[in-house]
């Protein structure tokens, strides 16, 4: 092991206490990977300032000099062999551009949920990354070359999710470590507004504009590049479902209409869309 790892540690100056920052730092200091090969690029930013998170990430990335890049945030605590495990995996398979691992999301009340790879393994990377953020913060180790090709972080409502989509859609090859190598304390993320709240039945509008832009230009050949497409109408209905999940009812409705009422799946999505408007009579008709 002789490859340098740059850790982008961006810290909001308000909204998170020192204890969370110190806990994350201690976990980095306790890594089994040689400390001489770990470069921590620590950048502070004002969380209330528009686009400040993306600016801080870009500043940290430009300063990084390692062959591999990892991002971490306050409230994320790594297993002591996290970096060593990831380096060993990418060294064992030189074709990989990076790797990810599972982690546990823990709320303030002590409830724990696994942040794993079920969507990625079930639906493939292309679709899985469009359902929601495909991995937790700090789980990705990616080559500096891949980040250079992907470009800068963008000032959107979900900076890391958008960047993950961009990496995957550029053909990033990732290895997966099925072991849980971190705990993500989401009480910290919630205070910073980085954890989605409860989804509403009747949406006020499109949930994520950046996601809509990807879905609007995502052809079936890209969407199903790592899966078998049963039929073109079914592929379009998967796209309708992704738009629907993003609360873009109008686009989902247009796709269902184009597929036609001969498709039971199209009628299902059509009915759900009208139920969420809410237009009960119209929804009942499509469900029947």
């Amino acid at each position: 092991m002789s490859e340098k790892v740059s850790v982008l540690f961006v810290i909001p100056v308000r909204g998170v206490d020192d204890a969370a920052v110190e806990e994350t730092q201690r976990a980095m200091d306790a890594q089994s990977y040689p400390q001489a090969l770990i470069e921590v690029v620590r950048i502070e930013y004002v969380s209330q300032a528009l686009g400040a998170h993306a600016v801080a990430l870009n500043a940290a990335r430009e300063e990084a000099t390692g062959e591999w890049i990892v991002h971490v945030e306050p409230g994320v605590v790594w297993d002591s062999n996290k970096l060593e495990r990831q380096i060993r995996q990418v060294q064992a398979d030189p074709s990989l551009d990076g790797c990810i691992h599972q982690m546990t999301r823990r709320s303030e009340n002590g409830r724990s949920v696994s942040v794993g790879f079920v969507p990625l393994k079930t639906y493939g990377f292309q679709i899985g990354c469009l359902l929601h953020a495909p991995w937790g913060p700090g789980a990705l180790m990616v080559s500096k070359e891949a980040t250079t090709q992907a470009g800068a972080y963008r000032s959107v409502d979900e900076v890391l999710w958008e960047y993950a989509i961009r990496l995957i859609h550029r053909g990033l090859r990732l290895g997966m470590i099925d072991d849980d190598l971190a705990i993500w304390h989401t009480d910290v993320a919630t205070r910073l507004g980085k954890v989605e709240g409860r989804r509403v039945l009747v949406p006020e509008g499109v949930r994520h504009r950046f996601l809509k832009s990807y879905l609007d230009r995502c052809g079936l050949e890209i969407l199903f590049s790592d899966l078998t497409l049963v039929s073109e109408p079914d592929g379009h209905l998967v796209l309708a479902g992704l738009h629907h999940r993003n609360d873009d009812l109008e686009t989902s409705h247009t796709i269902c209409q184009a597929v036609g009422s001969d498709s039971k799946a199209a009628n299902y999505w059509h009915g759900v869309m009208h139920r969420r408007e809410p237009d009960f009579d119209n929804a009942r008709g499509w469900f029947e």
Side-chain angles (χ1 to χ4, degrees), residues 126-141:
Q126 300 293 344
I127 294 176
C129 75
L130 295 169
L131 285 167
H132 49 66
W135 46 74
L140 171 69
M141 174 182 284

Side-chain angles (χ1 to χ4, degrees), residues 66-78:
E67 290 93 337
W68 299 94
I69 304 291
V70 180
H71 159 262
V72 71
E73 298 208 348
V76 176
V77 181
W78 291 343

Side-chain angles (χ1 to χ4, degrees), residues 155-265:
S155 299
V156 297
D157 56 342
E158 289 280 0
V159 178
L160 298 176
W161 183 8
E162 190 277 336
Y163 202 71
I165 293 173
R166 209 182 328 153
L167 287 170
I168 288 174
H169 281 239
R170 284 176 175 268
L172 183 77
R173 290 201 70 252
L174 286 178
M176 291 188 282
I177 298 176
D178 287 325
D179 296 334
D180 191 321
L181 296 181
I183 296 174
W184 176 23
H185 295 288
T186 52
D187 55 312
V188 178
T190 301
R191 291 202 298 273
L192 294 171
K194 293 180 180 179
V195 175
E196 285 193 348
R198 189 178 182 88
R199 298 181 70 87
V200 297
L201 178 63
V202 181
E204 295 180 356
V206 175
R207 195 171 183 84
H208 299 292
R209 285 288 169 187
F210 81 88
L211 186 58
K212 175 174 171 56
S213 70
Y214 278 101
L215 291 171
D216 282 343
R217 62 179 187 267
C218 193
L220 298 188
E221 67 282 353
I222 295 175
L223 204 61
F224 289 88
S225 61
D226 49 5
L227 293 173
T228 300
L229 178 60
V230 175
S231 70
E232 190 170 321
D234 286 317
H236 286 299
L237 290 176
V238 169
L239 198 54
L242 290 168
H243 279 291
H244 192 111
R245 184 175 175 81
N246 194 36
D247 293 341
D248 187 356
L249 304 189
E250 183 178 348
T251 302
S252 183
H253 183 229
T254 299
I255 294 172
C256 291
Q257 285 181 315
V259 172
S261 59
D262 289 338
S263 166
K264 290 183 179 180

